[in-house]
Amino acid sequence: MKVSLSWLKELVDIPCGVNEIAESLSMSGFEVEELEDLEDSIKGIVVGIVEEVSPHPNADKLRICKVNVGETNQLQIVCGAPNVKEGIHVLVALEGSYLKAIDLKIKVSQLRGVLSQGMICSLTEIGINSQDQGIAILEEMISEIPPLGSSPAEALGLNDIILDLAITANRPDGMSMIGIAREVSALKQTKLNLPKISKEQNISLFDPVNKSTEMVPSNGNFTLRRIENVRGEEKSKKWIKDRLNNIQLKPINAIVDIANYVMIEQGQPLHAYDADLIDRLIGRRATIKDFGFRKAKEGEKCTGIDDKIYVLSNKCSVITCADKIIAIAGIVGSKDCAVNTHTKSIWLEAALFKPEAVRITSREIGLRTESSSRYEKGISPEQTIPAAQRAIDLLLSQFDCKLDNNWAINDTHSNSKAILLNRNKVHNILGRVLSPVIDKQSEDIDTNNTVDYIKNNLSDSEIKDALIRLGCSLLPVKEGWEVIVPAIRCNDLNREIDLIEEVARIVGYERFDSSLPDPIKPGGLTNRQKTERSIRQLFTSSGLQEITTMSLVATDKVSKNRISLTNPLLSETSCLRNNLWEEHLSICKRNINAGQTGCWIFEIGSIYLQEKEQIKERKLISGAITGNRTFGKWQESTKKDSIDYYEARGLLGSVFKSLNLSVIDQELNEDPLFHPGKSSKLILEGKLLGKFGQFHPTFSEKFGLTKSIYLFEIDLELMLLATNRKGRLVTKYKPFPTVPTMERDISLLIDKNIRCADLINIIRKAGKPYLEKVELIDRYEGKGLPEGKISQAFRIIYRSKKNTLTEQEIEPIQENIMKQLKSKLHIELRSS
């Protein structure tokens, strides 16, 4: 919201400078993002008079002008404007000045061989919106010409400062000059000088044929009034044009400018339709019964006043006359009935549309306007008719108008309800304020010394004064007050806590005593948070890079059954994700296509699944591994372009080992995303912890992946639960062994379908009490072996805690191991 300081000063008495106003507004919740002094835009531009015009010897379209700018010597300026002539006062940019609007610094130069010592400017070139062609001629613009050589700032209305405010969604009153004026009045305790609005005529109620309850709230309104004897070719008054120009709204004509002016002043968007064009559109004279508002039909089109053709969906809201679209509700009018230079009569519309209806339509057509931004934040239902009357007052001051009935779908009765404000609740929530103790012998107060302050609750008079300054009406009751809020604040002040917040804001947050917990206890991480942080560090130390992806995604053909949002901002973020791997694949693909040799990534994130009527959130550790992680060709120690299944699985294994988790791999065949021979279920304490494996080659081709890629998905909650079991992460110490180990290798001939993990479990159980470790050291498959058989060699390590083992102690254990393997899995000993 751009606020003109000179305009603001007409609405409220301002007793201080612009910097103090900006600071007060920022502290009260209206952040001032920028202060712009408009005079800076015309520094170096002065008033001059063209005393002589002669043809350019080398160019037919250029003229050589002698311009007097109040100095002893005339300036010679080459000008190409068709309307330059002798005796006119013009705007002259002197050497060294900078024209921000066209990014041009003025310097003395030769134009087609003729010296030019400046530039005669148009309004557009100095940043003022104008439809006029050629240079600015002051005689055609203003009645009193400033002295030669002086700044034209005051004459052009540029002696102004613009405050650019960031208006939050909960303060729609800040989208109007009157709203900001009320705020300044409350903060500075100064007088408001709001424009007087004449009493509106009696309201005539009508019931539209097309009337969508999704567009206008029950307490909202939709008003129309036909106004005759206006002139579309007439320009608005200079003060209106100046104010619109200063806030970067382009003046069009008196009718459109007045509608825009009232929107900025009152915060209520208005729209004027050319009544004759509407009559032509429907083929007869339109009556109030022809107008309505409805949802658009799928594929219906509307050409806006911006000349763009908008194809509408059935989510869009439109205004109609005889069921023909005359505007996209709250956003843009139709070109078919737009006010133009031939307009003689208009229909003036003022309406209150639902914020969600305008927001959805704005998103559907991809257009956001000054009107829609105000509707989206919310408008008071009591502003609609007064704002329309304010526009009529301004039209009557410009034209000799003839007014028709004042039509509306609702009456203007106020629906304001009293809010009970409890005195004790104000004190409990806000706490005490610091009041200075003034030493009678000294007028100075040491603000850094708390001894000079006393702490008291806010007095009743302070609470009442703060609310009255906001425009509230108060009725005393036993507990406190019944408060009726002003119409302009009815959307954001509707609870007791809202009033308490306003009291604190107006009194000043800095006046309240700080209330810290006593004693102050330092915070800390829970065991689960510590474990999750350790998991992140372990994955990172294993070579994987942590990433974060969006929870909101688009609909997708691969991952169906995604949960759709009711009111998404964009189609790309219209659903909750139900997996993490899709985005991980995209990241890997982008990195490999960008020339990286590998991409190892992981993410701790949530997915969302629909289970019956509930939405369940699951937190996962998910990732993707492809290629080699190297930082230069010289680091490559192998010709392989990607790690294999066992190396990738080993990265996860190092994390599990560091967390003291015993994870068992089981064959995975039922998941179509994974390669059936290179994937496994991860089992922890008898429960499914997750999955790991190579992405199926068929899907790899569809995703455009050229290298093998390994995906993993781990249930974070189950992993945290197991890791945080009592004693799991406690470091255990044991004496360094003083006796040597004894090793035995066995080579077994087994069936292909027997899992290595099953063999190791049998060997461990049968090898008690001296078995310390068993590991697979070789695997062979091929020539020399029976069909369907493979050879696996294991190294078994024995150790006694007390003495060196002998052959006689080990031999029975070896025999028991082979006996168990043979009886349970029918395994034969190949050699030992």
Side-chain angles (χ1 to χ4, degrees):
M1 172 71 182
K2 293 186 180 297
V3 175
S4 162
L5 184 63
S6 63
W7 190 352
L8 189 63
K9 285 180 176 179
E10 288 193 11
L11 298 173
V12 62
D13 293 343
I14 297 180
C16 56
V18 64
N19 289 326
E20 185 176 335
I21 286 294
E23 177 67 18
S24 297
L25 286 171
S26 294
M27 291 301 295
S28 71
F30 291 123
E31 182 186 356
V32 179
E33 296 183 323
E34 184 183 7
L35 284 174
E36 181 185 4
D37 190 341
L38 297 183
E39 285 195 55
D40 291 342
S41 65
I42 57 168
K43 276 186 178 179
I45 297 176
V46 298
V47 176
I49 185 170
V50 180
E51 295 183 334
E52 183 182 335
V53 178
S54 59
H56 193 290
N58 301 319
D60 294 338
K61 293 185 179 181
L62 298 180
R63 300 288 184 270
I64 302 172
C65 304
K66 301 291 185 181
V67 183
N68 184 351
V69 292
E71 299 179 352
T72 54
N73 297 324
Q74 287 182 326
L75 295 181
Q76 178 174 288
I77 299 176
V78 177
C79 179
N83 61 336
V84 65
K85 57 187 176 181
E86 294 178 0
I88 60 173
H89 286 80
V90 292
L91 303 174
V92 181
L94 302 177
E95 179 187 1
S97 58
Y98 174 68
L99 303 181
K100 184 178 179 181
I102 57 174
D103 191 23
L104 177 65
K105 186 170 184 178
I106 304 301
K107 55 186 177 181
V108 176
S109 59
Q110 296 281 335
L111 292 180
R112 294 288 186 94
V114 176
L115 181 69
S116 182
Q117 298 172 299
M119 178 176 173
I120 302 176
C121 301
S122 67
L123 291 178
T124 304
E125 288 166 338
I126 64 173
I128 297 178
N129 291 315
S130 175
Q131 295 176 315
D132 297 333
Q133 302 296 320
I135 59 173
I137 300 175
L138 297 186
E139 283 84 356
E140 298 175 0
M141 299 166 51
I142 53 180
S143 57
E144 188 175 338
I145 306 298
L148 296 179
S150 65
S151 171
E154 186 173 354
L156 297 176
L158 296 177
N159 55 334
D160 197 2
I161 296 175
I162 302 299
L163 295 83
D164 196 352
L165 306 184
I167 308 299
T168 54
N170 66 322
R171 290 300 303 274
D173 58 299
M175 295 295 286
S176 67
M177 289 296 302
I178 284 180
I180 299 301
R182 287 182 180 275
E183 186 73 9
V184 172
S185 174
L187 295 171
K188 297 300 180 183
Q189 302 185 49
T190 55
K191 182 183 176 183
L192 278 171
N193 305 303
L194 301 183
K196 293 181 179 179
I197 301 176
S198 62
K199 187 178 180 181
E200 62 266 13
Q201 294 181 0
N202 293 333
I203 303 297
S204 301
L205 298 180
F206 79 104
D207 189 18
V209 176
N210 292 323
K211 183 179 177 181
S212 171
T213 56
E214 297 178 43
M215 290 175 57
V216 176
S218 58
N219 64 339
N221 219 331
F222 180 81
T223 73
L224 283 166
R225 195 167 197 177
R226 185 170 179 126
I227 304 171
E228 307 281 353
N229 297 339
V230 295
R231 296 181 295 279
E233 73 278 4
E234 189 167 318
K235 302 294 182 183
S236 54
K237 295 176 181 178
K238 182 179 180 302
W239 61 272
I240 290 182
K241 289 197 294 184
D242 287 346
R243 288 179 178 177
L244 294 179
N245 267 319
N246 290 352
I247 59 173
Q248 297 181 7
L249 274 181
K250 184 179 180 181
I252 306 296
N253 57 44
I255 302 169
V256 176
D257 292 353
I258 286 172
N260 287 337
Y261 180 87
V262 172
M263 175 182 67
I264 300 299
E265 181 189 80
Q266 303 288 329
Q268 168 69 57
L270 306 174
H271 192 79
Y273 305 94
D274 187 306
D276 296 325
L277 289 181
I278 288 182
D279 295 344
R280 189 182 307 170
L281 180 68
I282 68 172
R284 56 180 171 79
R285 183 180 174 88
T287 67
I288 190 63
K289 295 181 179 180
D290 293 315
F291 291 91
F293 44 90
R294 61 170 171 82
K295 290 296 181 180
K297 300 167 186 174
E298 193 70 36
E300 213 168 0
K301 296 181 179 180
C302 174
T303 303
I305 56 176
D306 54 3
D307 289 325
K308 292 183 179 178
I309 299 175
Y310 296 98
V311 180
L312 309 177
S313 72
N314 55 13
K315 297 179 181 179
C316 296
S317 304
V318 295
I319 311 297
T320 62
C321 184
D323 207 36
K324 295 185 182 294
I325 295 176
I326 59 173
I328 300 176
I331 302 176
V332 64
S334 168
K335 186 179 180 181
D336 294 337
C337 50
V339 171
N340 55 74
T341 55
H342 305 293
T343 298
K344 302 299 179 186
S345 59
I346 61 170
W347 283 95
L348 183 66
E349 170 216 304
L352 173 60
F353 300 115
K354 288 183 178 180
E356 57 270 27
V358 176
R359 191 180 302 115
I360 290 171
T361 304
S362 177
R363 187 183 64 246
E364 286 291 312
I365 67 174
L367 178 65
R368 198 163 187 260
T369 61
E370 288 284 346
S371 294
S372 68
S373 64
R374 284 164 173 78
Y375 280 122
E376 287 175 24
K377 285 183 170 61
I379 296 171
S380 168
E382 296 180 32
Q383 285 180 259
T384 307
I385 292 178
Q389 187 60 45
R390 170 65 171 156
I392 288 170
D393 290 346
L394 292 174
L395 287 169
L396 287 171
S397 70
Q398 182 94 28
F399 309 109
D400 183 19
C401 299
K402 179 183 176 183
L403 303 177
D404 200 351
N405 287 352
N406 196 4
W407 297 99
I409 63 171
N410 283 320
D411 59 26
T412 58
H413 295 313
S414 174
N415 294 318
S416 300
K417 295 181 180 179
I419 303 171
L420 177 63
L421 179 61
N422 189 297
R423 179 186 295 104
N424 292 331
K425 194 166 184 180
V426 175
H427 297 158
N428 291 337
I429 291 176
L430 299 183
R432 295 179 294 179
V433 292
L434 299 175
S435 302
V437 178
I438 301 177
D439 189 347
K440 294 182 180 180
Q441 299 178 355
S442 172
E443 295 184 357
D444 296 330
I445 299 173
D446 182 6
T447 56
N448 296 318
N449 189 349
T450 57
V451 177
D452 295 326
Y453 286 81
I454 58 174
K455 300 176 182 179
N456 290 310
N457 287 325
L458 279 174
S459 65
D460 283 5
S461 60
E462 287 179 296
I463 296 172
K464 289 191 293 183
D465 180 60
L467 293 173
I468 290 171
R469 282 155 58 186
L470 290 169
C472 298
S473 302
L474 283 79
L475 177 67
V477 294
K478 183 179 179 180
E479 300 88 348
W481 304 269
E482 286 187 349
V483 182
I484 297 177
V485 301
I488 198 170
R489 298 294 304 276
C490 67
N491 286 329
D492 67 298
L493 297 183
N494 44 44
R495 300 174 302 166
E496 183 182 28
I497 193 65
D498 298 330
L499 296 176
I500 296 173
E501 182 185 0
E502 287 299 284
V503 170
R505 197 172 59 83
I506 297 302
V507 169
Y509 294 117
E510 69 280 359
R511 285 191 56 198
F512 290 92
D513 185 26
S514 59
S515 301
L516 296 175
D518 186 21
I520 299 176
K521 296 181 180 180
L525 299 176
T526 64
N527 288 336
R528 289 171 65 87
Q529 291 170 330
K530 290 177 182 177
T531 304
E532 186 173 329
R533 182 172 290 185
S534 297
I535 291 171
R536 295 177 190 272
Q537 293 171 346
L538 289 170
F539 272 101
T540 303
S541 62
S542 296
L544 280 76
Q545 183 175 349
E546 185 173 8
I547 62 169
T548 301
T549 58
M550 289 281 289
S551 296
L552 298 178
V553 294
T555 55
D556 192 86
K557 296 179 180 179
V558 177
S559 294
K560 298 180 180 179
N561 302 321
R562 284 180 174 167
I563 300 166
S564 299
L565 302 184
T566 304
N567 187 23
L569 290 175
L570 300 168
S571 59
E572 291 82 2
T573 56
S574 60
C575 297
L576 291 170
R577 66 184 177 190
N578 58 355
N579 69 67
L580 297 173
W581 59 264
E582 278 190 72
E583 186 59 31
H584 294 176
L585 290 178
S586 299
I587 292 170
C588 288
K589 182 180 177 181
R590 286 197 298 269
N591 277 270
I592 297 300
N593 291 344
Q596 297 296 319
T597 57
C599 183
W600 299 4
I601 56 176
F602 79 97
E603 177 179 7
I604 296 180
S606 296
I607 62 172
Y608 305 88
L609 305 172
Q610 186 81 48
E611 295 184 5
K612 296 182 180 179
E613 296 182 356
Q614 291 186 329
I615 297 174
K616 296 288 186 179
E617 178 181 359
R618 285 188 61 204
K619 205 164 185 181
L620 302 176
I621 308 172
S622 181
I625 304 170
T626 185
N628 292 312
R629 272 298 292 273
T630 58
F631 297 94
K633 293 292 183 183
W634 60 274
Q635 287 186 315
E636 294 182 6
S637 58
T638 176
K639 293 183 179 180
K640 293 195 302 181
D641 65 348
S642 181
I643 64 173
D644 59 23
Y645 174 89
Y646 300 102
E647 291 172 313
R649 176 62 180 85
L651 297 175
L652 290 188
S654 65
V655 174
F656 297 145
K657 184 176 181 182
S658 299
L659 294 171
N660 198 21
L661 298 177
S662 178
V663 177
I664 299 172
D665 289 41
Q666 291 184 359
E667 189 175 6
L668 174 65
N669 291 320
E670 62 273 14
D671 195 326
L673 289 178
F674 291 95
H675 191 301
K678 296 182 179 180
S679 58
S680 61
K681 300 176 185 176
L682 305 177
I683 306 298
L684 175 64
E685 298 176 345
K687 297 179 181 178
L688 179 64
L689 176 65
K691 303 173 184 177
F692 171 83
Q694 182 181 336
F695 192 50
H696 200 290
T698 304
F699 288 110
S700 291
E701 289 183 14
K702 292 181 180 179
F703 276 86
L705 299 168
T706 56
K707 293 186 177 184
S708 298
I709 185 167
Y710 300 94
L711 304 177
F712 61 88
E713 190 176 87
I714 298 169
D715 188 327
L716 178 64
E717 292 301 319
L718 182 58
M719 192 171 182
L720 290 174
L721 184 65
T723 306
N724 281 292
R725 294 197 192 283
K726 188 174 180 180
R728 176 82 72 177
L729 294 180
V730 177
T731 303
K732 296 180 181 179
Y733 298 92
K734 58 183 180 180
F736 191 81
T738 57
V739 295
T741 61
M742 294 191 70
E743 297 180 359
R744 293 290 184 272
D745 292 348
I746 58 173
S747 182
L748 305 173
L749 190 65
I750 64 176
D751 291 335
K752 275 186 178 182
N753 59 356
I754 295 177
R755 296 187 307 118
C756 178
D758 294 337
L759 291 174
I760 291 175
N761 285 335
I762 293 173
I763 293 172
R764 280 177 178 164
K765 290 179 181 179
K768 295 178 180 180
Y770 297 131
L771 188 144
E772 183 175 273
K773 185 179 181 182
V774 58
E775 58 185 354
L776 178 69
I777 59 173
D778 183 57
R779 183 183 185 278
Y780 175 73
E781 178 180 1
K783 189 176 180 181
L785 295 179
E787 186 176 351
K789 298 286 186 178
I790 60 172
S791 172
Q792 289 185 344
F794 294 89
R795 177 160 293 159
I796 305 173
I797 300 174
Y798 298 100
R799 191 199 309 264
S800 171
K801 296 179 181 179
K802 299 178 180 179
N803 56 284
T804 302
L805 292 173
T806 63
E807 194 70 32
Q808 291 78 12
E809 292 173 302
I810 293 176
E811 191 60 34
I813 298 176
Q814 285 285 99
E815 291 177 359
N816 184 46
I817 289 172
M818 286 307 306
K819 181 180 177 182
Q820 294 296 326
L821 289 172
K822 189 170 183 179
S823 63
K824 292 182 178 181
L825 299 176
H826 306 289
I827 292 174
E828 300 176 14
L829 182 66
R830 190 180 180 203
S831 63
S832 61

